[in-house]
């Protein structure tokens, strides 16, 4: 049985891409009533709101965080509220505020109430000087504001663990591909948008990165499995990578993705018009080495490009 069985769990930023899938899985495992979904916005009829308890929560509001934690007897937080890379470069001050101050507020609550916390990191922690197959340990010199906030949060997480014993855990997610919610504000969004365009009546997509752009990617099913597994693993298994484990799904170029979709939708046409997001993508690695996660908590991905494309198209068409 899960070590966290019966725990009351808070998810911040729950109406976003990851939260939509994570809340559903957590409710299946722990019971709907034990998972408090929260977000700064309300989307009527969103599955996280219809499927169980939901609270409006701005992670910049420390008092409200405390109130929810106390009232709901929260033992675990999945802290997903953030501003992603593309939106973060448009508004770096907001990115720093939400990502860094929001995370500090959550870590402070975790310290005060002895809560286990998941704080996601990203492949955006790597900069152009990191090896293109990024190891777990390498200099982290990101050139995006978003990447800098993610490095800050990994460092802050380690500080709260080492100084205060707060059980902080995190994963450097690759670009995530999913069908249950729309995406916006990220650089890897093209790998999701392309599917929506392919099944539309236009059967065409104008991709905002070059065809040879190759990034680490992962299907959401694998990402959710990794997240829940990491949060459940006994604390002794975790190493100093605990706040930012590399995990690898697979890597493909934009052109390889388009070709795979074409196998299912022969009339599909992808054209390429790189914009500013190309620069962010170029600063990130092509793939990551996840041997530390494999070793510490037996991580391994299930989905490959062909199975992902098949599953995405099946679910979106439905
Ligand atoms: P998302 O943008 O889809 O969702 C983020 C959510 O946070 C949104 O619903 C938004 O309303 C909410 N939010 C924004 N400001 C808030 C505030 N002040 N208070 C409360 N909620 C607020 O993001 P996501 O893709 O679900 O990402 C979740 C986490 O995972 C982020 O930390 C992100 O950096 C990380 N991550 C995501 C990916 C990916 O491909 N999706 C990859 C790497 C890392
Ligand atoms: C983004 O593109 O900003 C995210 C990420 C890789 O962190 N998907």
């Amino acid at each position: 049985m899960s070590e966290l069985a019966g725990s009351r769990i808070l998810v911040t930023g729950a109406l976003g891409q990851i939260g939509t899938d994570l809340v559903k899985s957590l409710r299946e495992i722990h019971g709907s009533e034990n998972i408090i979904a929260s977000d700064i916005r309300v989307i009527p009829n969103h599955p996280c709101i219809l499927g169980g308890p939901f609270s409006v929560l701005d992670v910049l509001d420390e008092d409200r965080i405390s109130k929810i934690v106390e009232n709901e007897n929260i033992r675990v937080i999945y802290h997903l509220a953030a501003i992603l890379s593309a939106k973060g470069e448009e508004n770096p001050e907001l990115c720093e505020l939400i990502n860094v101050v929001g995370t500090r507020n959550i870590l402070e609550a975790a310290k005060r109430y002895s809560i286990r916390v998941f704080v996601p990191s990203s492949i955006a922690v790597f900069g152009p000087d990191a090896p293109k197959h990024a190891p777990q340990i390498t200099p982290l010199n990101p050139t995006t504001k978003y990447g800098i906030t993610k490095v800050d949060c990994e460092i802050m997480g380690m500080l709260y663990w080492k100084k205060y014993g707060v059980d902080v855990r995190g994963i450097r997610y690759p670009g995530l591909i999913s069908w249950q919610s729309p995406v916006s504000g990220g650089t890897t969004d093209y790998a999701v948008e392309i599917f929506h365009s392919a099944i539309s009546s236009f059967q065409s997509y104008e991709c905002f990165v070059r065809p040879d752009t190759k990034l680490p990617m992962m299907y959401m099913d694998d990402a959710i499995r990794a997240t829940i597994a990491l949060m459940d693993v006994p604390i002794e298994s975790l190493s100093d990578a605990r706040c930012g484990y590399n995990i690898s799904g697979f890597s493909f170029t934009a052109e390889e993705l388009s070709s795979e979709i074409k196998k299912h939708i022969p009339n599909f046409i992808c054209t390429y018009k790189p914009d500013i997001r190309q620069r962010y993508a170029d600063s990130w690695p092509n793939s990551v080495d996840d041997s530390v996660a494999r070793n510490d908590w037996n991580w391994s991905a299930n989905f490959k490009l062909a199975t992902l494309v098949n599953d995405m198209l099946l679910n979106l068409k439905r």
Side-chain angles (χ1 to χ4, degrees), residues 1-309:
M1 188 194 276
S2 156
E3 192 186 310
L4 302 178
S7 297
R8 302 272 291 162
I9 297 175
L10 172 67
V11 181
T12 72
L15 303 191
Q17 189 193 5
I18 300 177
T20 302
D21 283 74
L22 181 66
V23 167
K24 184 166 175 263
S25 296
L26 290 173
R27 283 184 172 152
E28 280 163 11
I29 296 168
H30 299 279
S32 296
E33 67 288 356
N34 288 322
I35 311 302
I36 318 300
S38 73
D39 205 289
I40 196 171
R41 56 186 173 144
V42 173
I43 304 176
N45 297 329
H46 190 285
C48 288
I49 297 181
L50 295 180
F54 176 82
S55 289
V56 174
L57 173 64
D58 177 351
V59 294
L60 298 179
D61 185 343
E62 287 184 88
D63 291 342
R64 179 125 178 93
I65 296 172
S66 298
K67 199 170 274 175
I68 292 178
V69 165
E70 279 180 20
N71 290 349
E72 300 290 349
N73 192 21
I74 298 296
R75 312 289 351 130
V76 179
I77 299 178
Y78 289 83
H79 172 47
L80 305 181
I83 302 294
L84 271 62
S85 56
K87 195 169 163 201
E89 292 311 291
E90 282 167 17
N91 196 337
E93 292 81 16
L94 182 72
C95 183
E96 176 154 331
L97 190 63
I98 308 291
N99 294 9
V100 180
V101 179
T103 300
R104 191 209 57 203
N105 291 345
I106 292 295
L107 291 174
E108 273 299 309
K111 180 174 91 175
R112 214 167 322 125
Y113 299 99
S114 302
I115 289 171
R116 184 177 297 183
V117 196
F118 179 79
V119 180
S121 190
S122 163
I123 51 160
V125 294
F126 300 110
D129 60 343
K132 281 296 168 191
H133 181 59
Q136 179 69 46
I137 299 172
T138 189
L140 300 180
N141 295 307
T143 47
T144 60
K145 182 69 188 180
Y146 171 70
I148 293 168
T149 68
K150 289 289 159 188
V151 175
D152 287 350
C153 288
E154 284 193 16
I155 294 170
M156 202 172 12
M158 277 311 274
L159 181 91
Y160 273 74
W161 161 241
K162 291 206 159 145
K163 196 161 175 188
Y164 308 116
V166 179
D167 189 355
V168 190
R169 306 176 183 205
I171 282 172
R172 291 173 180 160
Y173 288 127
L176 300 181
I177 302 176
S178 66
W179 53 271
Q180 299 214 46
S181 68
V183 290
S184 76
T187 300
T188 58
D189 290 358
Y190 65 90
V192 178
E193 291 173 358
I194 193 170
F195 286 96
H196 291 269
S197 299
I199 62 156
S200 75
S201 54
F202 299 108
Q203 297 193 324
S204 66
Y205 179 62
E206 187 177 88
C207 183
F208 57 76
V209 294
R210 285 189 317 268
D212 64 343
T213 305
K214 186 175 187 176
L215 288 175
M217 297 280 184
M218 181 175 285
Y219 199 35
M220 188 61 87
D221 296 40
D222 275 336
I224 298 299
R225 205 166 43 78
T227 306
I228 292 174
L230 174 63
M231 285 298 274
D232 233 4
V233 92
I235 199 163
E236 314 78 59
S237 307
L238 302 177
S239 62
D240 273 355
R242 61 178 300 136
C243 292
Y245 277 103
N246 281 4
I247 60 167
S248 172
F250 45 88
S251 298
F252 51 78
T253 64
E255 191 166 37
E256 284 164 348
L257 176 59
S258 153
S259 303
E260 195 61 40
I261 292 174
K262 237 172 146 33
K263 289 183 190 166
H264 298 259
I265 305 173
N267 291 337
F268 175 61
I269 292 171
C270 188
T271 54
Y272 300 89
K273 194 175 174 201
D275 65 20
I276 183 72
R277 290 169 281 189
Q278 182 71 57
R279 201 184 295 167
Y280 317 148
D282 287 344
S283 74
W284 296 346
N286 298 143
S287 58
V288 298
D289 172 8
D290 62 0
S291 47
V292 179
R294 286 173 181 273
N295 191 50
D296 287 3
W297 44 282
N298 287 324
W299 158 250
S300 83
N302 287 337
F303 280 83
K304 296 282 174 237
L305 180 58
T307 43
L308 169 146
V309 169

